[in-house]
Amino acid sequence: MMLVEDLIKNRYLITPPAYYLLEPHYKKDFTLAELIKFAKSAGTFVIDLTLAEEFLKEKGLISGGATEEIENEESQMEEETGELTSVSSRDISLSQPDSVLQASESSPNEDSTGEVGGYISTGKPLQSGTFGTSSEVLEAYEDQNYGGESFVSTGIEDTENLHEDAVDGEISEDVPVEIPEEDDEDEVLLEPEPENEYLDYSNGENGNGDTSPRIVYGDYGIPIAYVEEEVPEEETKSYSVYSDVQITPKENFHYLAAKIEGDYAVVFDVKNVKLNPPKAKNASGKEGELLVEAYRSMFISRLRKMRRIFRENPEIGGIIDIGKLSYIRPDGEITVVGLVNSKKETSKGYVLEIEDATGTVKVFVNRDREDSKKVMEIMHDSVIAVTGRYSGRGMIFAERIYLPDVPKFRRKHEPLKEKVYAVLLSDIHVGSKKFCEEAFIKFLDWLNGDVENEAHAELVSRIKYMILGGDVVDGIGIYPGQYDELAIPDIFDQYEALANLLRNVPKHIHMFIGPGNHDAARTALPQPGFYEEYARPIFRLKNATIISNPAVIRLHGRDFLVAHGRGIEDVVNEIPNRSHHRPAEAMVNLLKLRHLAPTFGGKVPIAPDPDDLLVIESVPDLFQAGHVHVMEYRIYNGVFVINSGTWQAQTEFQKMVNIVPTPARVPIIDVETARLRAVIRFDQFCEGV
């Protein structure tokens, strides 16, 4: 059964005859990968007898067909035993016990013509007892008027043979099966057959006049054969995927950016990081233990990266492992770095528990000290440094608290020869009824030179890049009641609609497209990218690069950190005076902690990757996020922080959670300075604003 299970895990099916032909050679003469590759080249997901024969011939394991091998085996058996078995490998059910096989082989029954007829299993397991003689099997069905007919399994490869084996070419649509009473140990006990398992395809119908395709279910309850019929014409969809939206650049409009050579690179992408997940030490290892070990590796990775950041701070001296504090002279000043496990407020101050890879220690922060204000900005599982005096009783009395933070002074970049701009977008939510369709099309017109004045013409002519930071479609089943708010209820059509819109972006503008929590991508952070089988249309855009969440894009030497911004949710939950309506403030808190989602086990799911890829190791020139649908920006220690808003009007769910979006606003960034150049508003074309 190992071959069947391995194929089902890879979404491939196999017929019983093919199984019996391939099983003796599996993992001895061929691997699962070789078999799947052969089936894939044949363009099928059902491995039947014919395909199995061809595969074994190609591997040089058989010279003739399976039928020839079976006949040779039967001839050899006839010579040895003097009789011919009536049951072939094609007729044996995988669920049939050995006792059943032996009884059916040793007890051939004769029909009215005197020809030898064999009992062919329906592929159902015996409930109890042992198999009796073939005559007893027939007597159990005499009341059903089947006479001496053979009982043909549906677990065969092709439906034409099914009719040839049936008496008079007829098979009843519903075969009632009676279960014999348990008054004899030798009587066979069969489970009742499910209704409509046997279907008549002799006229291309299922017996009820319905000519639609019907799948035939055989052993293991999986489809192994079907009748091909003409596929009905696809019904016209009641919604648009914007295939008719075709915008051409305005005649005589001069794009300066088209003459500027592109200078961009994705310097950090989750897909490019090679991870080494923990492996089981032995066969008895438990999956839960591996998961815990993976998260442990992730937090050790976080500590290691944060210690490196703290060492760059000239105010911090030597860092001591917490496990070595017992060797330190009491009341001596020390500095430790650790993850914040807990924080409590007392009448005199705050008590923190921090942990590193060597141990834990409690930290007391007096309310009278100036650094006590920083405690409110510390989130659970974030990493801090503490300088103070160790009491010798497992307590540090803090004198200074350091956050990883962003340095105040940074190296300046060389000026660019030509001004070049980038457009920042996020949360487009194509597919939602609240998607600002008209406003987005107006924006595309604007990019193609349909401008009102010379100032706008200057902006459009210098736009070279566009960054889309997640939630580019609305997705399916993301929040309660979403289906009622979908204009496009199919995830494939949502990405097709998005691609049809984005193909109207002028070809000299290069797009970077990343996923969010509404997209077809891994839910947990970090997100390596879109699932290509769903989002294939955007992968085909020639002027687009698919990025991860998070990612760092270098434009003309300036680093743009792009993240969807789910960590804002945990900031709003944990830090006082933070709100979804002021996302830039929450983003500054993430910058101070140098992490995009510090809290583990909060609202934001974190993947058990052995390396923490959400640490902001290098300070960017610009930090872009979205997610909360409110556009806001500010500058913190030389870093331009901006939430790029949305293209979706307020939904019913947002009303319930009190989110007031600011849709259809387009921030234009001067790449040279990594600062805001202008905000172009199209919200007048967005309904419900």
Side-chain angles (χ1 to χ4, degrees):
M1 293 295 290
M2 187 181 298
L3 175 59
V4 177
E5 294 171 354
D6 291 347
L7 286 170
I8 290 177
K9 288 178 183 178
N10 289 273
R11 299 181 180 179
Y12 280 80
L13 308 178
I14 185 171
T15 63
Y19 169 82
Y20 278 97
L21 187 60
L22 295 173
E23 194 275 338
H25 304 285
Y26 183 47
K27 291 192 175 179
K28 297 177 183 177
D29 303 313
F30 70 87
T31 64
L32 179 67
E34 291 175 324
L35 179 58
I36 289 179
K37 183 177 179 181
F38 186 86
K40 190 174 182 181
S41 64
T44 180
F45 67 95
V46 179
I47 298 172
D48 56 15
L49 183 61
T50 303
L51 187 135
E53 290 177 357
E54 294 174 356
F55 175 72
L56 293 180
K57 287 179 184 178
E58 183 177 279
K59 298 292 292 182
L61 300 177
I62 61 173
S63 57
T67 306
E68 182 180 333
E69 286 196 345
I70 293 170
E71 290 174 356
N72 292 337
E73 291 176 2
E74 290 177 347
S75 300
Q76 183 179 356
M77 185 179 297
E78 186 177 5
E79 291 175 0
E80 294 175 357
T81 63
E83 59 181 11
L84 178 63
T85 180
S86 61
V87 181
S88 70
S89 63
R90 181 179 176 82
D91 303 321
I92 299 175
S93 167
L94 289 181
S95 60
Q96 193 177 35
D98 293 339
S99 59
V100 177
L101 175 59
Q102 293 168 1
S104 59
E105 287 180 340
S106 60
S107 303
N109 60 294
E110 297 184 0
D111 59 15
S112 57
T113 62
E115 295 179 357
V116 177
Y119 176 82
I120 303 180
S121 169
T122 55
K124 299 296 178 182
L126 295 178
Q127 293 179 349
S128 62
T130 58
F131 200 93
T133 63
S134 298
S135 59
E136 290 175 321
V137 176
L138 295 179
E139 288 173 3
Y141 292 90
E142 281 179 352
D143 294 338
Q144 305 303 327
N145 298 322
Y146 284 99
E149 297 173 359
S150 296
F151 297 93
V152 183
S153 167
T154 55
I156 61 174
E157 177 193 342
D158 102 55
T159 54
E160 292 181 2
N161 292 338
L162 185 149
H163 300 299
E164 293 172 2
D165 293 341
V167 176
D168 298 329
E170 295 181 357
I171 299 176
S172 173
E173 179 182 344
D174 299 311
V175 179
V177 177
E178 294 184 356
I179 303 178
E181 297 180 357
E182 287 190 50
D183 54 359
D184 191 342
E185 293 182 356
D186 292 333
E187 287 191 71
V188 62
L189 298 181
L190 298 177
E191 294 181 354
E193 302 289 347
E195 294 184 0
N196 296 327
E197 179 173 336
Y198 295 91
L199 301 179
D200 183 8
Y201 291 101
S202 56
N203 296 319
E205 299 180 354
N206 64 0
N208 295 323
D210 183 7
T211 59
S212 58
R214 290 291 185 270
I215 296 176
V216 179
Y217 292 87
D219 300 317
Y220 329 115
I222 55 177
I224 58 175
Y226 60 91
V227 175
E228 294 187 4
E229 298 186 8
E230 293 185 3
V231 179
E233 293 184 4
E234 185 176 357
E235 296 182 3
T236 304
K237 295 173 182 176
S238 59
Y239 52 84
S240 169
V241 292
Y242 309 114
S243 56
D244 57 338
V245 178
Q246 297 183 1
I247 304 171
T248 56
K250 190 176 180 180
E251 292 184 9
N252 301 324
F253 188 85
H254 184 55
Y255 289 106
L256 296 173
K259 298 181 179 180
I260 299 175
E261 185 177 355
D263 183 4
Y264 61 85
V266 180
V267 296
F268 172 77
D269 192 290
V270 175
K271 296 188 293 294
N272 299 333
V273 179
K274 185 178 181 180
L275 300 175
N276 296 310
K279 299 179 181 179
K281 297 180 181 179
N282 52 59
S284 62
K286 297 180 180 178
E287 184 178 351
E289 295 174 355
L290 289 177
L291 196 63
V292 171
E293 182 61 27
Y295 279 120
R296 180 178 178 274
S297 299
M298 183 192 72
F299 284 118
I300 291 176
S301 167
R302 180 183 301 186
L303 273 169
R304 184 178 64 253
K305 292 178 179 181
M306 290 297 182
R307 285 172 73 106
R308 191 181 305 125
I309 291 172
F310 280 118
R311 288 193 182 99
E312 295 174 356
N313 189 336
E315 298 181 12
I316 297 177
I319 299 173
I320 299 176
D321 292 336
I322 293 176
K324 297 179 180 178
L325 288 176
S326 58
Y327 302 102
I328 302 299
R329 181 173 59 85
D331 298 327
E333 186 175 275
I334 50 89
T335 300
V336 295
V337 172
L339 290 153
V340 178
N341 285 340
S342 64
K343 59 179 182 178
K344 299 178 182 178
E345 185 174 3
T346 68
S347 58
K348 294 183 179 180
Y350 305 93
V351 177
L352 308 176
E353 183 185 72
I354 65 175
E355 177 183 12
D356 67 6
T358 63
T360 61
V361 67
K362 292 188 181 296
V363 177
F364 177 74
V365 185
N366 195 305
R367 194 184 301 274
D368 296 333
R369 290 193 176 275
E370 184 178 354
D371 279 8
S372 65
K373 298 177 183 178
K374 293 182 180 179
V375 174
M376 306 312 297
E377 296 184 84
I378 297 174
M379 297 174 63
H380 285 85
D381 302 316
S382 59
V383 180
I384 62 172
V386 177
T387 298
R389 299 187 178 276
Y390 182 60
S391 67
R393 293 178 295 176
M395 176 77 75
I396 296 176
F397 292 91
E399 296 179 358
R400 292 291 306 274
I401 293 179
Y402 299 95
L403 303 182
D405 218 330
V406 173
K408 295 181 179 180
F409 303 101
R410 305 185 58 214
R411 180 178 61 85
K412 294 185 178 180
H413 297 288
E414 293 291 332
L416 301 181
K417 296 180 180 179
E418 287 274 0
K419 284 288 184 182
V420 59
Y421 300 147
V423 174
L424 305 185
L425 307 178
S426 67
D427 298 86
I428 302 176
H429 288 275
V430 173
S432 170
K433 289 181 179 178
K434 298 294 183 176
F435 167 52
C436 299
E437 173 185 317
E438 183 182 357
F440 197 80
I441 293 175
K442 288 287 185 183
F443 163 64
L444 294 174
D445 286 331
W446 184 79
L447 283 181
N448 281 276
D450 187 5
V451 295
E452 298 179 355
N453 50 51
E454 290 297 326
H456 281 205
E458 171 68 12
L459 290 174
V460 171
S461 68
R462 294 188 178 276
I463 293 175
K464 186 72 175 177
Y465 308 102
M466 180 187 296
I467 302 174
L468 292 81
D471 281 2
V472 291
V473 301
D474 204 43
I476 305 292
I478 308 299
Y479 60 85
Q482 183 194 21
Y483 190 82
D484 295 332
E485 296 187 351
L486 287 176
I488 304 177
D490 185 287
I491 187 68
F492 296 95
D493 287 341
Q494 288 182 10
Y495 280 105
E496 183 179 351
L498 173 68
N500 286 336
L501 290 172
L502 294 182
R503 70 183 178 182
N504 294 292
V505 173
K507 303 307 178 187
H508 68 275
I509 298 178
H510 195 84
M511 297 179 286
F512 301 90
I513 309 174
N517 58 296
H518 278 248
D519 285 299
R522 181 170 79 174
T523 304
L525 296 182
Q527 295 175 292
F530 302 93
Y531 295 138
E532 188 171 354
E533 58 266 34
Y534 295 96
R536 188 166 286 111
I538 63 174
F539 281 83
R540 293 172 179 165
L541 294 170
K542 294 182 179 180
N543 58 332
T545 297
I546 304 301
I547 59 175
S548 61
N549 171 32
V552 177
I553 305 168
R554 184 165 293 163
L555 303 179
H556 298 265
R558 281 69 176 169
D559 287 348
F560 285 49
L561 171 60
V562 182
H564 183 57
R566 294 195 69 184
I568 295 173
E569 294 183 40
D570 283 340
V571 174
V572 171
N573 268 2
E574 194 162 344
I575 298 181
N577 301 319
R578 293 296 178 264
S579 166
H580 292 95
H581 304 293
R582 299 191 306 276
E585 293 180 359
M587 293 171 66
V588 168
N589 286 113
L590 295 177
L591 269 181
K592 289 180 178 180
L593 298 174
R594 297 290 287 272
H595 202 280
L596 295 171
T599 302
F600 179 79
K603 285 192 172 184
V604 184
I606 307 296
D609 293 331
D611 191 5
D612 192 344
L613 303 179
L614 300 177
V615 175
I616 306 174
E617 295 188 67
S618 58
V619 181
D621 297 286
L622 181 145
F623 176 22
Q624 175 193 354
H627 188 59
V628 295
H629 292 204
V630 177
M631 199 191 85
E632 190 189 30
Y633 52 89
R634 62 179 53 209
I635 299 175
Y636 175 72
N637 284 2
V639 180
F640 187 75
V641 178
I642 182 168
N643 192 291
S644 46
T646 183
W647 289 85
Q648 183 185 41
Q650 190 179 43
T651 65
E652 294 300 321
F653 179 76
Q654 290 170 345
K655 289 179 182 178
M656 290 190 292
V657 296
N658 194 31
I659 293 179
V660 182
T662 57
R665 301 184 185 184
V666 181
I668 311 296
I669 301 297
D670 185 341
V671 173
E672 180 180 22
T673 60
R675 297 290 184 269
L676 186 68
R677 178 66 178 82
V679 176
I680 309 300
R681 297 181 60 168
F682 298 91
D683 51 350
Q684 65 269 30
F685 303 106
C686 187
E687 294 183 10
V689 178

